[in-house]
Amino acid sequence: MLDRSRHAPAFAPAVPTPPVEWRVEPGLTDYARALAAMEARANAIRAGEAGEQVWLVEHAPLYTAGTSARAADLLEPDRFPVFEAGRGGEYTYHGPGQRVAYVMLDLKRRREDVRAFVTALEDWIIGALDRVNVRGEKRDGRVGVWVARPDKPPLPDGSPAEDKIAAIGVRLRRWVSFHGIAINIEPNLGHFSGIVPCGITGYGVTSLVDLGLPIAMAEFDLVMKQAFAEIFGPVEG
């Protein structure tokens, strides 16, 4: 379990700013609409016309291609719609039962350090998982959050099996972030088979339900909100 006794948030603004807006979108959100809305909000944040925001959504089944995506990793190109996302990373899947959080923060007010920002996002996910008694872990060279699977056979090299439970893909424009994270609550894990997720082979994908933890999306949203505040500072909404 994480020690929550220390905080000062690790990635809070250097000077006091309004709380981050926390917005939860009902139903399924059209992906093209989400891209346009993120672009507009990021531009408004940079111009000083809007505050920071975390926007929680679900999408209909689709694949997205990041700026490092390789065509060979799209194994079933006709299975679901495919979108050029413009974020970092490779191919990923979004669909019902997966909580996507689009994170629009002004890093000029926080820390102009992309690597530290990605680490903070991983810490946020790990903190949320910790609250529901799931141990999420980081891995060098593999962005995202992983869960050890001692119930599965070891990998071919003899190392313990582990599955990915959360993906991260971000973009920064003039130090304002957009895109964000995706955590598997109860998606159809079979839908990941149409891609090589994040370009990484040899590992599985899991979800909270797959780990034996049925939890409502709204319940997990609450622990996400608590964990976010510990890393990034106050939220409202």
Side-chain angles (χ1 to χ4, degrees):
M1 303 292 282
L2 294 180
D3 176 9
R4 301 193 187 100
S5 62
R6 52 172 181 85
H7 293 311
F11 219 83
V15 297
T17 60
V20 177
E21 178 189 356
W22 188 267
R23 174 183 172 189
V24 181
E25 193 75 17
L28 298 179
T29 300
D30 177 78
Y31 189 75
R33 175 188 160 233
L35 288 180
M38 280 192 290
E39 292 263 0
R41 184 66 176 237
N43 290 338
I45 293 169
R46 183 68 272 148
E49 298 168 353
E52 298 176 307
Q53 183 185 70
V54 174
W55 184 23
L56 275 60
V57 305
E58 287 179 85
H59 293 301
L62 58 93
Y63 298 130
T64 71
T67 53
S68 301
R70 298 171 293 188
D73 288 342
L74 181 59
L75 306 178
E76 298 181 35
D78 299 323
R79 187 172 186 180
F80 298 126
V82 180
F83 292 87
E84 298 289 335
R87 56 163 173 77
E90 304 189 33
Y91 281 104
T92 194
Y93 165 77
H94 294 318
Q98 181 190 69
R99 177 50 89 204
V100 176
Y102 293 129
V103 182
M104 290 156 276
L105 300 180
D106 185 352
L107 300 195
K108 276 192 170 293
R109 298 181 181 181
R110 295 172 178 272
R111 194 185 314 171
E112 295 180 33
D113 186 328
V114 177
R115 185 167 302 203
F117 178 53
V118 172
T119 296
L121 293 174
E122 290 174 329
D123 289 340
W124 171 26
I125 297 165
I126 290 169
L129 293 173
D130 178 70
R131 283 172 162 80
V132 294
N133 297 315
V134 172
R135 181 181 175 85
E137 299 177 335
K138 305 175 193 179
R139 292 291 180 265
D140 290 340
R142 289 190 264 134
V143 173
V145 175
W146 301 78
V147 176
R149 298 303 303 267
D151 54 316
K152 289 188 170 184
L155 298 176
D157 65 0
S159 59
E162 55 188 25
D163 291 341
K164 193 169 192 177
I165 195 167
I168 296 174
V170 295
R171 183 174 180 181
L172 275 75
R173 180 179 296 150
R174 297 171 61 198
W175 290 107
V176 175
S177 68
F178 52 117
H179 295 279
I181 69 173
I183 305 177
N184 298 329
I185 311 302
E186 192 179 5
N188 184 334
L189 296 179
H191 289 176
F192 285 88
S193 65
I195 56 172
V196 177
C198 301
I200 299 171
T201 59
Y203 299 92
V205 179
T206 191
S207 68
L208 291 180
V209 167
D210 182 51
L211 294 171
L213 187 67
I215 186 170
M217 187 73 74
E219 183 180 351
F220 193 75
D221 289 347
L222 291 176
V223 300
M224 286 183 68
K225 190 175 185 179
Q226 294 164 357
F228 180 90
E230 285 193 343
I231 302 296
F232 295 97
V235 297
E236 66 177 2

